[in-house]
Amino acid sequence: MRILILGAGKMGSFFCDLLSFDHQVAILDPDPQRLRFTFNVERFTDPAQVRDFRPELVINAATVKYTIDAFNAILPYLPAECIISDIASVKTGLPEFYAGCGHPFVSTHPMFGPTFASLSNLADENAIVIKEGDERGRVFFLDLYRRLGLHIEEYTFREHDSTIAYSLSIPFASTLAFGAVMKAQSAPGTTFKRHLAIARGLLGEDDYLLSEILFNPLTADKLDEIICRLSELREIVRNRDSVAMKAFIDSVRANFAAQR
């Protein structure tokens, strides 16, 4: 299959390495410096170069802020039957874009990233494949993610956004709250250092990505839940209520037990 990858960042390069030995792959990035370490692929810096490559599948690995712009830049040069796809963690605006783009599409979300995951060992990671899409495209990504050993869930766009509100918005918000009250420690404990490493990794992400994930319409309700439980914990601590504290900790353990 002729596959075009948009964006030579970490995820774009990952998909290049993953696919280039089984498919004819090209990668497009306007910055030639970012293409220096891509191998076994054709390298493009101008969208017009896509015309002669005639891709059968496009994988858009551009940053979230530029996902739709990257699509728009290449649409005039794509064959009508070409499947376009994204791997964006934020799907805002994509259902509407796909509805009017005139191409078959597939949308997925590898639930791992280069900051925390080991891209060479993904056995414990997850991926979401959106149900609303081209069957050929869905089968391609389902097969690809299965070969990586990923656990796969198939969701609608709405179900995806709900999942992200839980799995990304809550930890992002909790980490930002930790960082907002954090003070330098000369002798930090192990738990503090682990939280600090997570916070530094999070803040290494693009600000626009962090904002868009937190701007998920379902995030505010999750923040209300956090605030409610923190208020409950604050009162338990103020009252030094050992019985209530035990019940609170037990409820947290129950939540962890329910997590696979």
Side-chain angles (χ1 to χ4, degrees):
M1 181 183 287
R2 292 187 305 278
I3 300 174
L4 173 68
I5 295 172
L6 305 181
K10 291 180 179 179
M11 290 303 287
S13 298
F14 167 73
F15 274 93
C16 273
D17 292 342
L18 184 64
L19 298 169
S20 61
F21 289 97
D22 297 316
H23 301 275
Q24 186 179 350
V25 175
I27 186 166
L28 169 66
D29 195 296
D31 182 357
Q33 295 297 315
R34 291 164 64 88
L35 297 172
R36 288 181 301 166
F37 303 109
T38 54
F39 302 99
N40 201 37
V41 299
E42 296 187 51
R43 307 175 192 180
F44 301 151
T45 56
D46 184 343
Q49 294 173 280
V50 171
R51 190 194 307 273
D52 291 337
F53 183 67
R54 294 188 60 81
E56 300 167 81
L57 171 68
V58 173
I59 300 176
N60 190 336
T63 57
V64 168
K65 186 175 183 179
Y66 299 109
T67 300
I68 293 178
D69 289 342
F71 274 140
N72 283 327
I74 63 162
L75 284 182
Y77 309 106
L78 296 181
E81 67 277 8
C82 179
I83 302 169
I84 63 174
S85 72
D86 74 274
I87 57 169
S89 53
V90 176
K91 305 298 186 186
T92 304
L94 283 169
E96 295 80 8
F97 172 81
Y98 285 135
C101 72
H103 284 269
F105 74 90
V106 60
S107 183
T108 76
H109 182 184
M111 297 287 286
F112 55 86
T115 300
F116 296 117
S118 170
L119 297 183
S120 62
N121 182 12
L122 300 171
D124 294 326
E125 304 296 343
N126 304 289
I128 294 172
V129 175
I130 301 299
K131 295 176 181 177
E132 300 126 310
D134 180 82
E135 181 65 17
R136 296 166 299 161
R138 288 178 54 253
V139 168
F140 175 87
F141 280 99
L142 287 169
D143 288 345
L144 178 65
Y145 292 155
R146 286 183 185 125
R147 285 195 283 115
L148 291 173
L150 299 173
H151 171 78
I152 305 168
E153 294 287 347
E154 294 190 67
Y155 293 153
T156 64
F157 278 114
R158 175 70 179 179
E159 289 168 339
H160 169 271
D161 289 348
S162 178
T163 296
I164 296 309
Y166 272 104
S167 63
L168 290 183
S169 296
I170 287 178
F172 279 22
S174 300
T175 300
L176 288 174
F178 164 78
V181 300
M182 185 182 66
K183 295 181 180 179
Q185 300 291 312
S186 57
T190 301
T191 303
F192 180 90
K193 288 190 289 185
R194 289 180 178 176
H195 277 277
L196 184 60
I198 291 172
R200 283 178 171 155
L202 180 68
L203 293 174
E205 297 285 359
D206 179 75
D207 288 357
Y208 183 87
L209 172 64
L210 298 179
S211 298
E212 288 303 296
I213 286 173
L214 290 170
F215 290 162
N216 181 326
L218 303 174
T219 296
D221 288 343
K222 304 301 175 281
L223 292 179
D224 287 341
E225 292 179 30
I226 294 174
I227 292 168
C228 180
R229 295 311 303 270
L230 280 175
S231 297
E232 180 184 349
L233 181 59
R234 180 184 59 193
E235 292 307 305
I236 292 171
V237 171
R238 279 179 173 169
N239 296 327
R240 301 178 62 85
D241 188 335
S242 299
V243 173
M245 179 61 80
K246 177 66 166 61
F248 189 94
I249 294 172
D250 285 346
S251 71
V252 173
R253 286 198 175 105
N255 285 345
F256 277 92
Q259 178 69 31
R260 67 171 184 85

